[in-house]
Amino acid sequence: MDAIILQILNGLEKGGAYALIALGLTLIFGTLGVVNFAHGALFMLGAFCAVVMRALLTMEVATGEVESTAWGTEIAVTTPYVTNLFGDFGNTMIDWAVPLSILLTVPVMLFVGWAMERGLIRHFYKRPHAEQILVTFGLAIVLAELVKAVFGANPIPVPEPAALGGMMDFGALFGSEPDKITYPMWRFVYFLFSATIIIIVFMFLKFTTFGMVVRAGMEDRETVGLLGIDIGKKFTFMFAVSAAIAGLAGAMYTPIISPNYNIGMEFLVLSFVVVVVGGMGSLGGAVAAGFMLGLLQSFAAMNEVKEILPGIDQIIIYLVAIIVLLVRPRGLMGRKGVMET
Amino acid sequence: MKILTNPSAGVDTTMMLVFVVAVLTMPFWLTLIGAGYPDLMQKFVIFGLFATGFNILFGLTGYLSFGHAAFLGIGSYTAVWSFKLLGMNPIPAAIFAVAVSGVFALVIGFISLRRSGIYFSILTLAFAQMCYALAYSVLTPITNGETGLRVIGDDPRILDGIITSGVNPSTPTVNLFGLDLTQTWVWNGYYFNAGFYFCAIILIIGSYIAMRIFRSPFGLMLKAVKTNQNRLNYTGVNTKPYTLAAFVISGMYAGLAGALLCITDPLAGAERMQWTASGEVVLMVILGGMGTLMGPMLGAGIIKFAEQKFSTWGKTELHEFFAFIPDGIRDTVVSVASLFVGSGWHLTLGLVFMLIVIYLPGGIVEGGRRILMWASGSNRRNRKLQAAAQAAE
């Protein structure tokens, strides 16, 4: 029982990341009809926004004092700028660098998404899907290599805030024995964060006029255009929003996996599978499939399961994808007729 | 309307002859551009073969597979097992590799080809990732996991184990009926490697078969699938057997290429099956020109050549290269350019690839054709003819 609860928690955290990336992917597909292979790279860029934020906050200045180390060499004492400016509050800011990086990630990723759509993607609306895949695949390589040129190839660890680090005692919450079910707190925070973002996106699309126009445009672009609405502009904004969602997913994921330039590619393949399982262009499907596959993956990683079916944890996601594509090609919640053949 | 036709047989024969001569004299002309190393030349022909096979599927039918590296890996594993069990002769290894990868391609293709477009790409990607993950984890007894599968001294090798066991037990090398394929002769600074010529002959046979497929009714049918599959279905043609055959043939080419990779180094690793490797062959075909006969080979050659050249360049080489620029500016130029070479050469690759997809979807072959048309003025003449025809109407 304890093991099952732990695996559910694991699955929720993994599923949160899959769902966020897949949500952006399917939003782009539903609005613009573009298959974006560079979406994993956007996740990676978001992760590096967190790295940059932490680097900015920990920029140091020499105080002028000199102290000698244990070996007798003298080094200058340095303190971070923010500590000099804000005192203790500055130290707290450094500690909370990852959540603070949201402030940096959102504008940066909105801009990146906007520039990508205006500069590259819009020239590919009328071209075949294969060429869209190829050009965004090339873009993914370029973005990853640029990051590698700037930050190097090694993973850069980014710690979570001390208050949200450590283990969380789940057993005590549900009234069972304490210290029986413990789980890293940040991973649970990540799940809550991704759920919040998903709810915000859905509410935005459901309850605002802008969201209504976007949904109408997804149904029938021509008609909305005929009504005098510049739907292209709204869709460009939605592309930027999708990029920002992927970026946020990446920025908050940094304490769980230290980001390196290749992290996007690893997530991309999985999140594509998620989108296909959920149904191309279906937002609810992407979220549902994201959490479902996350849960399936963590259950397949249980030792009891692995004893019966060795290696299942490695292939479960692909296996599910293959079965879904063959049995129900439009995906779990995809609309009939959307790229069904 | 475009009518699908074939060029005359004479053109093909000339092209094939030029190609044979070009491949066989590779040690001469590649040395002139500084790429005459046996290792590199082998890579040219092996990846040329891989790309040629991939082109039969992607170039002719338009089905974009993102999982062909799986067949490359399967071919490598089969070849090493053949070395281990049967002996170091490459011919049985190649035959088994083609057969086994063909069987895998038949199964994977049968399932994947039930869908088309992006779903087909994702299905093949999923299958390849499954093969990769399994090779790393559960199938370790067969694949030797992360270490990679290699030939060791005490393997049974029932065909030649007795002969060579006393000679060099620790590191047996691949030999073709006694001819050591890792052997290299040097003459006037040109390297002639036995393994290279073995691969080159297989490449020539492979591209001859590819040409025959391109020119056959079967090849025309594949091109028709790419042009408009719906129309074919309405005419009452079942396209599945054709596409499946193309998939299996291209899988066999990939398996053969995988087996040839084991000639210089009888070692098979799972990283050969990763999806980035599948992406690489897509890059090669697109760069050279999809759907053309020589394009994929050209693309494979250029990518492998650039990989070799760019990835070894550093700042000193760049300083020599930009020696003509005045000193003050040169440092800036060099530091900008150094982003694109050395470990950053993938950046160059990605940029070039994007530019090709955006501006020249037909690849280098298409570019060459355009330049030729422009130079010979036939483009202008055509346009004039068209204008005249329109005026007449």
Side-chain angles (χ1 to χ4, degrees):
Chain A
M1 187 62 209
D2 300 350
I4 289 176
I5 292 179
L6 268 184
Q7 294 309 332
I8 290 177
L9 289 171
N10 256 331
L12 287 178
E13 168 257 317
K14 251 188 220 140
Y18 296 161
L20 281 183
I21 308 175
L23 186 65
L25 260 180
T26 201
L27 205 53
I28 291 174
F29 184 81
T31 51
L32 298 168
V34 171
V35 182
N36 183 15
F37 252 55
H39 212 67
L42 296 174
F43 177 85
M44 184 259 321
L45 284 183
F48 275 89
C49 282
V51 171
V52 169
M53 189 68 184
R54 187 169 166 83
L56 284 178
L57 287 174
T58 50
M59 256 202 309
E60 291 182 325
V61 62
T63 49
E65 294 167 38
V66 169
E67 75 179 4
S68 56
T69 60
W71 292 275
T73 48
E74 296 194 326
I75 52 165
V77 177
T78 57
T79 53
Y81 272 109
V82 280
T83 315
N84 288 352
L85 279 175
F86 304 111
D88 269 350
F89 180 65
N91 285 332
T92 322
M93 274 172 74
I94 293 175
D95 189 30
W96 286 76
V98 172
L100 277 178
S101 69
I102 291 173
L103 299 177
L104 180 72
T105 310
V106 171
V108 167
M109 294 311 293
L110 281 176
F111 174 74
V112 168
W114 174 81
M116 211 173 128
E117 204 275 336
R118 287 289 86 186
L120 182 70
I121 307 287
R122 97 186 142 108
H123 303 293
F124 276 80
Y125 293 153
K126 293 274 179 315
R127 291 171 68 166
H129 281 299
E131 284 182 16
Q132 295 171 356
I133 294 177
L134 292 170
V135 82
T136 46
F137 178 61
L139 182 68
I141 298 177
V142 169
L143 288 176
E145 289 299 316
L146 282 177
V147 166
K148 187 172 109 182
V150 177
F151 294 92
N154 294 325
I156 303 168
V158 182
E160 67 269 46
L164 296 176
M167 300 301 270
M168 190 173 172
D169 196 343
F170 255 91
L173 273 184
F174 297 118
S176 69
E177 288 172 65
D179 289 332
K180 204 138 178 242
I181 308 170
T182 55
Y183 192 70
M185 183 152 7
W186 181 261
R187 288 176 182 243
F188 191 66
V189 171
Y190 189 84
F191 162 65
L192 294 179
F193 171 78
S194 56
T196 319
I197 296 280
I198 290 166
I199 290 168
I200 291 174
V201 170
F202 272 94
M203 297 219 320
F204 174 72
L205 286 174
K206 202 97 198 167
F207 297 119
T208 62
T209 319
F210 192 101
M212 192 182 70
V213 172
V214 169
R215 277 186 297 129
M218 283 166 87
E219 291 288 332
D220 188 343
R221 188 185 170 134
E222 296 271 296
T223 311
V224 177
L226 286 174
L227 293 173
I229 294 167
D230 188 350
I231 192 74
K233 224 171 223 168
K234 314 246 167 192
F235 280 178
T236 307
F237 180 72
M238 285 322 287
F239 192 100
V241 168
S242 309
I245 297 170
L248 284 175
M252 294 291 278
Y253 212 72
T254 46
I256 301 176
I257 292 184
S258 303
N260 73 349
Y261 71 99
N262 219 3
I263 188 174
M265 293 285 184
E266 290 155 23
F267 271 88
L268 174 77
V269 178
L270 288 176
S271 47
F272 248 106
V273 169
V274 170
V275 172
V276 168
V277 169
M280 273 286 186
S282 153
L283 299 174
V287 174
F291 283 110
M292 189 189 86
L293 289 180
L295 285 171
L296 270 180
Q297 201 182 21
S298 46
F299 276 114
M302 284 171 76
N303 284 330
E304 290 86 346
V305 180
K306 270 199 279 188
E307 270 168 25
I308 307 167
L309 294 164
I312 188 75
D313 55 322
Q314 305 280 339
I315 59 166
I316 178 82
I317 284 202
Y318 304 113
L319 216 56
V320 171
I322 289 164
I323 293 168
V324 167
L325 274 184
L326 293 179
V327 178
R328 196 181 156 83
R330 73 179 100 137
L332 293 179
M333 293 163 85
R335 256 182 305 151
K336 202 173 176 175
V338 178
M339 290 189 74
E340 216 178 317
T341 46
Chain B
M1 203 180 110
K2 204 173 119 189
I3 300 164
L4 300 172
T5 46
N6 286 333
S8 64
V11 176
D12 280 346
T13 321
T14 330
M15 198 165 81
M16 203 63 215
L17 281 177
V18 171
F19 175 69
V20 169
V21 173
V23 170
L24 292 180
T25 54
M26 261 166 110
F28 291 107
W29 56 270
L30 278 179
T31 310
L32 295 181
I33 54 172
Y37 317 107
D39 268 10
L40 191 56
M41 286 191 297
Q42 275 196 4
K43 268 192 194 153
F44 286 163
V45 288
I46 292 170
F47 281 92
L49 188 67
F50 186 20
T52 306
F54 187 75
N55 190 38
I56 292 175
L57 178 71
F58 178 47
L60 286 182
T61 67
Y63 277 84
L64 173 57
S65 157
F66 252 97
H68 255 56
F71 304 124
L72 190 76
I74 289 168
S76 290
Y77 281 126
T78 317
V80 175
W81 270 109
S82 159
F83 290 151
K84 283 165 89 79
L85 298 177
L86 282 178
M88 302 304 286
N89 195 321
I91 288 180
I95 291 170
F96 281 119
V98 168
V100 173
S101 54
V103 170
F104 271 87
L106 188 66
V107 174
I108 294 179
F110 184 77
I111 299 173
S112 305
L113 282 167
R114 296 179 59 172
R115 301 281 161 256
S116 63
I118 176 163
Y119 288 147
F120 173 79
S121 304
I122 295 200
L123 274 172
T124 47
L125 179 63
F127 273 114
Q129 286 294 100
M130 261 168 67
C131 291
Y132 168 69
L134 288 178
Y136 252 119
S137 57
V138 198
L139 297 180
T140 306
I142 303 174
T143 61
N144 208 9
E146 264 177 76
T147 339
L149 190 67
R150 62 162 60 250
V151 181
I152 44 174
D154 52 356
D155 282 327
R157 302 220 304 280
I158 46 175
L159 288 185
D160 65 354
I162 314 140
I163 314 162
T164 49
S165 60
V167 186
N168 196 356
S170 59
T171 52
T173 52
V174 182
N175 65 77
L176 181 69
F177 305 114
L179 172 70
D180 184 357
L181 286 185
T182 51
Q183 201 174 329
T184 305
W185 298 278
V186 189
W187 177 75
N188 280 356
Y190 300 115
Y191 294 90
F192 300 94
N193 178 273
F196 162 74
Y197 275 103
F198 181 74
C199 298
I201 287 164
I202 289 188
L203 173 71
I204 288 167
I205 298 170
S207 37
Y208 180 71
I209 295 173
M211 194 181 81
R212 298 301 304 202
I213 289 176
F214 266 64
R215 303 296 183 236
S216 64
F218 168 67
L220 279 178
M221 187 59 94
L222 295 180
K223 283 180 200 166
V225 169
K226 184 183 178 182
T227 319
N228 195 332
Q229 192 163 1
N230 278 339
R231 203 172 282 173
L232 272 182
N233 290 337
Y234 292 151
T235 343
V237 179
N238 181 11
T239 53
K240 181 81 184 275
Y242 294 97
T243 44
L244 184 59
F247 193 91
V248 172
I249 292 170
S250 72
M252 285 171 159
Y253 270 80
L256 183 59
L260 295 183
L261 275 178
C262 296
I263 284 184
T264 31
D265 186 13
L267 167 75
E271 70 283 344
R272 231 167 245 175
M273 304 167 104
Q274 219 178 349
W275 76 281
T276 42
S278 303
E280 200 184 17
V281 71
V282 180
L283 299 190
M284 288 170 182
V285 172
I286 293 284
L287 182 69
M290 64 178 275
T292 61
L293 264 174
M294 291 301 146
M297 248 165 282
L298 209 61
I302 290 172
I303 285 186
K304 285 293 157 192
F305 176 70
E307 184 182 13
Q308 176 77 16
K309 285 290 142 193
F310 283 158
S311 59
T312 51
W313 272 29
K315 289 214 164 166
T316 32
E317 285 87 351
L318 282 176
H319 268 287
E320 279 167 26
F321 185 79
F322 289 114
F324 58 92
I325 297 175
D327 277 351
I329 319 165
R330 200 195 304 157
D331 281 343
T332 353
V333 173
V334 166
S335 56
V336 170
S338 66
L339 269 178
F340 296 93
V341 297
S343 62
W345 100 271
H346 273 110
L347 181 59
T348 325
L349 179 65
L351 280 174
V352 169
F353 177 65
M354 275 178 74
L355 291 177
I356 292 269
V357 176
I358 296 171
Y359 295 110
L360 201 65
I364 292 173
V365 169
E366 169 76 25
R369 198 174 292 152
R370 278 192 207 172
I371 291 173
L372 263 181
M373 295 250 279
W374 178 77
S376 65
S378 65
N379 212 2
R380 261 165 289 161
R381 217 178 302 140
N382 277 348
R383 227 174 277 158
K384 241 181 226 164
L385 278 178
Q386 267 173 11
Q390 269 173 5
E393 277 169 23

